[in-house]
Amino acid sequence: QMLDRVLESSGRIKRIVEDLKSFIHKQDDEALIPVELNQIVESACQLLESSLQQATENFSCELEQTPILISGNFQRLEQVVINLLQNACHALTDKQQSIVVKTYLDDQNQPCVQVCDQGCGIPKSDRLKITNPFYTTKRHEGGTGLGLAISKRILQEHSATLDIDSIEGEGSSFTVCFPAGDLGS
């Protein structure tokens, strides 16, 4: 049991160090190239397949029928989707609650990714703070408070916005929108 706790603690330390390195290392020098938004979401879902299956029996991925090209860095944007999906998994209190991720073009023709969960929601007192570095409500579970801060920085590098809607006790919706006509998608 002690060995298991040591391994669990070392894994948590490793994640914290990786999060810190990612937060500190701003990657402005990387060129943004045409990437397909549906592929980014599909890849993130595949990487988190086990976590999603453990968190919910009601996961769905609804992708825009036509390819959505944006200018970006595939791995960095994939990390944003991973962070949003992981947060959705952590928000659920019951395996019957759902997580839905979808891509679409909004009314202004902006490419968007949305992650919605039926989890615990975000208290009003936390909503303005959750994208601040090191702010976490999950410290006792190993949270570092860097996931949304890193995501926010990555999205700023891509001229994208992050909109957060939440009702405490009912769930949350995180919507990322990229500039319209970025590549004439």
Side-chain angles (χ1 to χ4, degrees):
Q1 288 179 341
M2 282 182 59
L3 182 57
D4 286 342
R5 280 187 252 156
V6 168
L7 289 172
E8 183 180 309
S9 295
S10 65
R12 186 174 16 255
I13 291 168
K14 181 181 179 205
R15 284 190 308 274
I16 291 169
V17 170
E18 288 171 354
D19 285 348
L20 283 169
K21 285 173 26 180
S22 180
F23 182 72
I24 291 168
H25 181 64
K26 189 174 180 185
Q27 298 180 345
D28 282 336
D29 56 334
E30 290 189 13
L32 301 181
I33 61 170
V35 292
E36 211 282 307
L37 195 54
N38 289 339
Q39 290 176 356
I40 292 168
V41 171
E42 285 177 323
S43 178
C45 291
Q46 288 172 355
L47 289 170
L48 288 180
E49 184 176 6
S50 177
S51 296
L52 290 163
Q53 287 176 349
Q54 289 176 6
T56 182
E57 293 174 3
N58 295 302
F59 172 73
S60 66
C61 182
E62 304 167 6
L63 302 177
E64 177 71 24
Q65 298 250 328
T66 57
I68 302 174
L69 286 177
I70 60 171
S71 181
N73 176 296
F74 190 98
Q75 284 77 24
R76 302 273 287 164
L77 293 174
E78 178 184 58
Q79 184 62 51
V80 170
V81 177
I82 287 170
N83 287 341
L84 296 177
L85 287 170
Q86 285 177 326
N87 286 351
C89 287
H90 293 145
L92 300 185
T93 58
D94 183 316
K95 285 189 78 146
Q96 296 307 309
Q97 295 172 323
S98 69
I99 296 174
V100 177
V101 60
K102 61 182 173 181
T103 60
Y104 61 94
L105 295 173
D106 72 4
D107 295 341
Q108 287 86 38
N109 209 35
Q110 294 182 114
C112 299
V113 177
Q114 185 176 61
V115 176
C116 300
D117 67 70
Q118 291 181 325
C120 59
I122 304 165
K124 281 187 178 186
S125 60
D126 292 336
R127 287 188 201 145
L128 295 177
K129 303 178 217 172
I130 62 173
T131 58
N132 292 347
F134 307 108
Y135 185 81
T136 181
T137 59
K138 305 279 186 196
R139 191 152 326 269
H140 63 283
E141 297 170 25
T144 62
L146 289 173
L148 286 176
I150 291 167
S151 295
K152 181 180 174 182
R153 178 180 282 175
I154 292 169
L155 294 173
Q156 287 171 339
E157 292 168 6
H158 287 79
S159 301
T161 60
L162 174 64
D163 185 47
I164 303 166
D165 289 318
S166 186
I167 299 174
E168 197 169 354
E170 293 185 26
S172 300
S173 173
F174 290 75
T175 306
V176 174
C177 290
F178 297 89
D182 200 14
L183 292 175
S185 50

